[in-house]
Amino acid sequence: MMGNPFKKYRIDYLFFGCFALLILVMLGCTVWTSYSLSSKELAKATSVHQQKLLDQLNNEIASRLTMIEQISLSTSRDNKLIYFLSKSGSEDEFTRFQTFKEVQQSLANLTYSIPLIQGIDLYMKHPFQADSYSYIQFRDLDKASEQSWYPDMRKNDFVWTGKQVIKAFQGDIAVISFVRSIEYNNRHLGYLVVHAKADSLEEMLAGSSADANRMMLDATGQPILTIGKVPDEAQWSEWKNKLTDRSGLFRVALQGERGGGLLVYSKMNQSNWTMVEVTPWSSIAKGSVRLAETIGVIGAVSIVLALLLALWLSRQLTSPIRTLVSAMNLYTLSGRKVDLPEDYRNEFGYLFAGYRKQMDRIEELYNSLEARHEQLRRAEIETLQANINPHFLYNTLDQLNWMAISAGQPEMSRILELMGRMFRIGLSNGESFITVADELEHVQCYLEIQRLRLGNGLNYKIEVTEEARKLYILKMVLQPFVENAVIHGFHLQSGGTVVIRIRPEEGFLRIAVEDNGVGLRSDPDRQAKRKTGGYGIRNVRERIKAYFGHPYGVVLSNREEGGTRVLITLPLMRERPGPANPN
């Protein structure tokens, strides 16, 4: 699974890449939108223009073809033509020839007066052989069945034929023909076929668009005249079902055209003709493509300029960061400092100022640590120097002990001996934690000194297991409470008893110190003002709190039978803790 790229790649690369991607997406959307909208607008404008043009062409061509239809109708009803066809073979040859000439001249006048007419064929019985160079040809009625229009004429009185080629004295001529049946008194006399010049109609159909793809349809929807690339018969049979009685347009699929094409058709009111134009979509969208290409070129130039701007911006943004990182990498205490720019007034200026303040603070802390280290070094020297004093004190106590022995003072000798042992345990080579056995020895020395002072009136009892003796305890915890019992608890009486109980219990070291003295006074203020005892107890409490915290501590209470009970709760330590490190 791909992670966050902003955590993996360089900022200038990400900035440049995001900027480039955004511009490319926007350019693509702009080009596509402009192409899509402009092509639709062009298609709409093209269809409107084509609709108007087809209406105009339809009106113009339909009027010409209607004129031919009307001429053929009036000609088919001409009395001389009807007389000529109805009397064919029943009158003398001279009269018939004279009539023939008159009919021929009448038909020829039509071709001369109407340039659109290429020629006229008259199918009749017993036709005269006309001049092969004449525009008017008389043909045998029996050969009408050989013509392509004959099947349709058996169902209709007239019909238009599609484009065909006829032979004339000018050569092969492309025409479309209008065939009308000539009837008189329920007798079928023949067919009048008027040939219209296909090239003239095609020029009219093309108009000013030489590359147009247009068709002229008859009333049945069959193409009569076409120009350009038009659909084949199979494809047209599928499209013509979409034509309605009115003009319209729709999209069609064209072979070889990716976007297909647009079919526009025009059908005038009270007209049998329909004009159809098929325009490939590529032709319609040619302007849109040029517009999209122009926008693409402009966009490409814009992208290059924007990317150059993005590159310049990214470097402007990352250069201060690289400067700061370089300064951080080159930083050493009391070494050469990298000068950071001071002319920035934005976020980079805040970073540089913050870094300079941080470095100044580090220098201050470093100098402070150096000073502290020097102080510790001096303290160690002073401590080593102070170690001389205890040795001097021990030697002095030994000398006083020998002097007491020499002077015959055994009690004083005993007191000096006990005091020496107390000093050695109290100093303990600077250790804060000693064994329970050493702590009890220190208390016993103190109690022995007090027994020598008070006589046999002072009794004490120590209850401790061998396992508890091996545990470690905070130094000088018991002595203040024992001292408080002896000095303050028994000061109004000749003696008393002190009981010390030490035992492990539920993961704690439980210590109880009890005496049968006067007990605790009710006035805590007076007790706090005592010159001895009170400060020692407070010192023990504060040390336990500093080293161990909750739930360890000291609880003092009066005994029901008289005296004081002290309960001390400490952690169970089977090994000496590390260097003293109060919380």
Side-chain angles (χ1 to χ4, degrees):
M1 184 175 181
M2 184 178 180
N4 189 346
F6 289 92
K7 297 180 180 179
K8 185 176 182 181
Y9 301 104
R10 288 178 49 174
I11 295 177
D12 52 351
Y13 292 165
L14 291 172
F15 185 85
F16 183 82
C18 292
F19 212 91
L21 180 61
L22 176 63
I23 294 176
L24 287 174
V25 171
M26 292 182 63
L27 177 61
C29 293
T30 302
V31 171
W32 173 252
T33 302
S34 64
Y35 171 78
S36 178
L37 294 178
S38 61
S39 62
K40 290 180 180 179
E41 290 300 321
L42 286 173
K44 183 178 180 180
T46 301
S47 64
V48 172
H49 173 73
Q50 288 179 345
Q51 195 80 61
K52 292 181 180 179
L53 181 59
L54 290 179
D55 290 344
Q56 181 180 355
L57 293 175
N58 194 352
N59 187 41
E60 182 178 356
I61 296 176
S63 63
R64 301 295 180 88
L65 297 180
T66 301
M67 179 185 64
I68 292 177
E69 292 178 359
Q70 291 174 351
I71 289 174
S72 68
L73 178 61
S74 63
T75 302
S76 66
R77 293 178 180 179
D78 184 72
N79 292 331
K80 190 173 292 187
L81 177 63
I82 293 175
Y83 175 80
F84 174 68
L85 294 177
S86 61
K87 299 297 182 178
S88 177
S90 62
E91 59 182 5
D92 61 278
E93 288 296 322
F94 178 77
T95 304
R96 186 167 177 266
F97 181 75
Q98 289 295 328
T99 307
F100 161 72
K101 285 296 184 178
E102 292 177 2
V103 171
Q104 184 182 34
Q105 185 62 39
S106 176
L107 294 177
N109 290 337
L110 293 177
T111 61
Y112 298 148
S113 61
I114 302 176
L116 183 60
I117 297 177
Q118 172 63 35
I120 298 176
D121 291 346
L122 182 61
Y123 286 84
M124 58 179 292
K125 293 180 180 180
H126 310 294
F128 280 94
Q129 184 67 35
D131 187 0
S132 61
Y133 291 97
S134 175
Y135 291 104
I136 310 301
Q137 297 292 322
F138 295 86
R139 303 186 186 279
D140 189 354
L141 183 59
D142 293 336
K143 292 184 178 181
S145 59
E146 299 175 3
Q147 302 302 313
S148 61
W149 42 263
Y150 184 76
D152 294 329
M153 287 303 297
R154 299 187 66 178
K155 303 176 183 178
N156 302 284
D157 293 335
F158 58 87
V159 70
W160 280 94
T161 66
K163 184 178 179 180
Q164 58 183 339
V165 177
I166 63 173
K167 294 185 181 295
F169 64 90
Q170 301 99 329
D172 292 341
I173 303 296
V175 297
I176 63 172
S177 303
F178 180 75
V179 183
R180 182 178 291 277
S181 177
I182 302 175
E183 305 285 340
Y184 182 73
N185 290 334
N186 296 325
R187 286 177 58 196
H188 177 66
L189 301 180
Y191 297 104
L192 180 65
V193 181
V194 181
H195 300 295
K197 296 177 182 178
D199 56 352
S200 298
L201 292 173
E202 287 175 350
E203 289 179 4
M204 295 174 63
L205 185 61
S208 60
S209 305
D211 58 345
N213 305 315
R214 293 173 183 157
M215 297 186 299
M216 185 175 66
L217 310 179
D218 61 10
T220 63
Q222 295 301 317
I224 299 297
L225 195 65
T226 63
I227 59 171
K229 296 180 180 179
V230 296
D232 55 25
E233 183 177 356
Q235 194 171 32
W236 176 244
S237 62
E238 179 183 351
W239 292 356
K240 72 177 182 179
N241 295 327
K242 298 181 181 180
L243 302 181
T244 62
D245 293 336
R246 300 177 60 185
S247 301
L249 58 91
F250 53 86
R251 290 285 295 270
V252 293
L254 293 180
Q255 187 175 4
E257 287 289 337
R258 183 177 181 181
L262 181 68
L263 187 146
V264 182
Y265 61 96
S266 170
K267 188 173 184 180
M268 306 296 292
N269 293 331
Q270 298 178 352
S271 174
N272 294 325
W273 308 104
T274 303
M275 295 295 177
V276 176
E277 181 170 1
V278 180
T279 306
W281 194 260
S282 58
S283 299
I284 298 175
K286 187 181 299 182
S288 299
V289 172
R290 286 196 298 269
L291 176 61
E293 290 175 350
T294 303
I295 294 176
V297 172
I298 297 174
V301 175
S302 302
I303 286 177
V304 173
L305 296 177
L307 292 182
L308 291 176
L309 176 62
L311 181 61
W312 180 79
L313 288 175
S314 64
R315 289 181 176 177
Q316 293 299 316
L317 291 174
T318 57
S319 177
I321 297 177
R322 288 197 296 268
T323 301
L324 182 59
V325 172
S326 177
M328 294 171 65
N329 292 332
L330 295 176
Y331 175 79
T332 56
L333 288 172
S334 301
R336 182 176 65 88
K337 304 297 186 296
V338 177
D339 294 331
L340 295 175
E342 297 183 359
D343 55 346
Y344 282 90
R345 297 294 181 268
N346 52 14
E347 289 79 0
F348 294 118
Y350 302 151
L351 287 175
F352 293 153
Y355 179 75
R356 283 191 289 268
K357 290 180 181 179
Q358 183 180 5
M359 294 303 101
D360 293 341
R361 180 60 178 164
I362 290 175
E363 290 289 342
E364 292 177 1
L365 291 175
Y366 178 73
N367 294 333
S368 175
L369 289 175
E370 281 190 332
R372 181 65 61 84
H373 177 72
E374 181 65 20
Q375 292 175 358
L376 290 176
R377 190 177 66 82
R378 291 179 181 179
E380 289 177 356
I381 294 174
E382 293 175 357
T383 301
L384 293 174
Q385 183 68 28
N387 287 337
I388 300 173
N389 297 330
H391 290 288
F392 173 76
L393 180 60
Y394 298 153
N395 293 333
T396 301
L397 289 175
D398 286 339
Q399 292 176 4
L400 291 174
N401 185 24
W402 284 108
M403 289 176 65
I405 293 174
S406 299
Q409 296 290 332
E411 290 183 357
M412 182 62 67
S413 174
R414 177 63 175 165
I415 290 173
L416 292 173
E417 179 185 356
L418 294 172
M419 287 181 64
R421 290 168 60 185
M422 287 182 65
F423 276 126
R424 285 187 177 87
I425 296 173
L427 293 174
S428 303
N429 296 322
E431 294 290 345
S432 297
F433 294 88
I434 60 176
T435 62
V436 172
D438 290 339
E439 179 72 7
L440 291 176
E441 183 180 358
H442 182 273
V443 171
Q444 282 181 304
C445 290
Y446 174 76
L447 290 172
E448 287 295 329
I449 292 174
Q450 296 301 323
R451 289 184 69 176
L452 292 173
R453 182 177 69 86
L454 299 175
N456 294 328
L458 176 63
N459 298 313
Y460 65 90
K461 182 180 180 182
I462 298 176
E463 298 178 2
V464 60
T465 62
E466 289 298 322
E467 178 186 1
R469 284 180 173 273
K470 299 177 182 179
L471 298 177
Y472 285 87
I473 191 175
L474 191 62
K475 184 171 63 177
M476 299 290 290
V477 170
L478 299 178
Q479 191 269 339
F481 299 103
V482 173
E483 179 183 0
N484 193 62
V486 173
I487 295 177
H488 303 290
F490 304 149
H491 77 285
L492 298 177
Q493 55 193 47
S494 59
T497 302
V498 177
V499 179
I500 301 175
R501 299 185 181 88
I502 301 176
R503 68 182 185 278
E505 183 180 301
E506 298 178 355
F508 298 95
L509 182 63
R510 308 286 188 181
I511 302 175
V513 179
E514 298 180 354
D515 65 71
N516 57 357
V518 297
L520 297 175
R521 296 185 180 182
S522 59
D523 187 357
D525 293 334
R526 290 185 59 187
Q527 186 165 345
K529 294 179 181 179
R530 292 175 179 174
K531 295 183 179 180
T532 59
Y535 296 113
I537 294 173
R538 185 175 62 186
N539 178 274
V540 172
R541 281 177 166 169
E542 291 178 354
R543 284 194 296 147
I544 293 176
K545 180 179 180 181
Y547 275 101
F548 309 118
H550 183 78
Y552 307 102
V554 178
V555 178
L556 282 77
S557 61
N558 288 316
R559 300 174 63 207
E560 293 180 0
E561 59 271 25
T564 304
R565 177 182 293 109
V566 179
L567 297 178
I568 305 173
T569 303
L570 296 174
L572 199 64
M573 296 179 289
R574 302 185 185 278
E575 297 180 358
R576 188 193 305 273
N581 184 25
N583 294 330

